[in-house]
Amino acid sequence: MGVVTPPTDRTPKQDRSRATRRRLLEAAVACLAEHGWAGSTVSVVAERAGVSRGAAQHHFPTREDLFTAAVEYVAEERSAALCALPVQGRTAVVAALVDLYTGPLFRAALQLWVAASNEEQLHPRVTELEARVGRETHRIAVELLTADETRPGVRETVQGLLDMARGLGLANVLTDDTARRRKVVAQWATLLDNALA
């Protein structure tokens, strides 16, 4: 008869590992948004997350792994928040979509885009990630706006909204553009009411 080994409870260790991973991802996004690519190292992120560099590298072996995962993580969180929005007026939907491009996620993603334009190993990863995030954001926008993309011009109208939101995000990088942005959001909601009616 063999020796019976009592079952071990690995849940607390797994929970700690998930919590560490989450802290690293959130710290990486904050670092990218605040310090840019050049100032965001694995050591800086690990310190901000309150973990050792070794723990950071256990979860993310390379700097590129860490930062692409961080942007993907926050994009998924924002997508989930958008999906959870109750059906509401178009102005609120447009404002929520524009908010995607005016917060820390966009600043972090922007830093990653700039780095990817010069870093050969980062470029394909960021390009693929942004294509996936873009498709998902478009899908959510269509759903929230109850847009019928079988009608001519509707797909382009929704994409125009997302492109405009990205432009507002760029304008917001250098200065607080809140007052002008509110007016643009209201105007786009009116245009969408007419285009999607």
Side-chain angles (χ1 to χ4, degrees):
M1 208 180 229
V3 176
V4 177
T5 306
T8 57
D9 183 11
R10 298 187 56 81
T11 305
K13 185 176 180 181
Q14 289 172 346
D15 286 348
R16 284 192 308 273
S17 181
R18 278 192 290 270
T20 298
R21 180 178 169 83
R22 184 181 193 116
R23 283 196 322 270
L24 284 164
L25 294 172
E26 290 170 353
V29 169
C31 285
L32 269 179
E34 292 171 20
H35 308 297
W37 178 254
S40 298
T41 64
V42 174
S43 295
V44 169
V45 171
E47 183 178 327
R48 185 177 190 132
V51 303
S52 69
R53 180 180 167 88
Q57 288 183 311
H58 168 75
H59 287 278
F60 304 101
T62 69
R63 182 181 187 207
E64 292 78 13
D65 291 336
L66 173 60
F67 289 106
T68 54
V71 172
E72 182 174 23
Y73 162 75
V74 178
E76 289 169 0
E77 292 289 306
R78 294 293 296 165
S79 291
L82 277 177
C83 288
L85 284 174
V87 176
Q88 49 191 318
R90 287 216 169 97
T91 301
V93 171
V94 171
L97 290 167
V98 167
D99 284 348
L100 277 177
Y101 297 98
T102 56
L105 167 62
F106 181 74
R107 285 179 179 268
L110 184 59
Q111 294 295 329
L112 204 55
W113 296 345
V114 171
S117 70
N118 297 312
E119 302 268 341
E120 191 174 308
Q121 63 200 49
L122 193 58
H123 187 271
R125 297 174 76 170
V126 172
T127 301
E128 188 277 327
L129 170 63
E130 286 305 316
R132 193 164 15 102
V133 168
R135 285 190 303 270
E136 180 65 7
T137 303
H138 185 96
R139 184 194 65 74
I140 293 168
V142 167
E143 188 176 300
L144 290 173
L145 294 166
T146 60
D148 178 4
E149 287 195 306
T150 63
R151 293 180 42 219
V154 169
R155 178 171 182 73
E156 293 77 11
T157 300
V158 173
Q159 192 57 52
L161 164 63
L162 296 174
D163 291 344
M164 179 272 306
R166 192 176 297 111
L168 289 174
L170 284 171
N172 198 58
V173 167
L174 296 176
T175 60
D176 182 3
D177 208 26
T178 306
R180 185 177 74 89
R181 193 168 56 246
R182 276 193 209 107
K183 293 176 186 174
V184 172
V185 164
Q187 181 61 29
W188 262 91
T190 300
L191 292 170
L192 284 170
D193 280 335
N194 294 330
L196 304 179

